[in-house]
Amino acid sequence: MEHGSFTNDSHASFTLAEEDHTLANALRFMLNQDPRVTLAGYSIPHPSLECVNVRVQTTGDPAREVLKDACQELMLMNRHVRSVFHKAVSEFKEEQARLKAEEE
């Protein structure tokens, strides 16, 4: 859900349902890497509520688009980390199999 200004779309707050610090902190990090962002932060209204409020202020670009771009960049980063992890696990298993074959 977006809570924005009718007169200035470069400032907006977004509520992400069923999320916590895990996504919010990663998203905040990605937003702060974007040169179009002047302010990015998040808050959790109450520990018993499963939602996060994300605030985005930009240099003029629509906050909604900047948030969308940050989400896409975060997905790309996660894909990269996952592929590197799977490659490392495969290499480790191959090395373990090779060492076991050498012992026999």
Side-chain angles (χ1 to χ4, degrees):
M1 175 184 302
E2 180 179 353
H3 312 280
S5 168
F6 291 114
T7 59
N8 188 352
D9 63 353
S10 67
H11 301 76
S13 294
F14 304 88
T15 299
L16 307 176
E18 298 180 19
E19 294 299 341
D20 60 13
H21 291 284
T22 305
L23 176 66
N25 195 39
L27 190 55
R28 179 198 54 81
F29 174 80
M30 295 306 292
L31 283 164
N32 281 317
Q33 299 303 306
D34 191 326
R36 300 173 294 172
V37 174
T38 58
L39 179 135
Y42 77 92
S43 66
I44 296 188
H46 191 274
S48 66
L49 296 176
E50 293 183 356
C51 70
V52 174
N53 295 324
V54 178
R55 178 72 177 168
V56 180
Q57 294 180 5
T58 69
T59 56
D61 294 52
R64 177 186 299 136
E65 295 302 317
V66 173
L67 179 67
K68 181 178 145 191
D69 292 346
C71 289
Q72 289 173 341
E73 288 294 318
L74 185 57
M75 287 190 313
L76 290 174
M77 182 184 291
N78 286 335
R79 282 187 194 143
H80 174 70
V81 168
R82 186 179 329 133
S83 70
V84 169
F85 176 77
H86 287 305
K87 181 181 176 189
V89 168
S90 295
E91 290 172 359
F92 176 78
K93 287 180 179 179
E94 289 171 8
E95 180 67 17
Q96 293 300 309
R98 187 187 62 76
L99 291 173
K100 186 175 180 181
E102 286 178 2
E103 288 178 359
E104 297 173 352

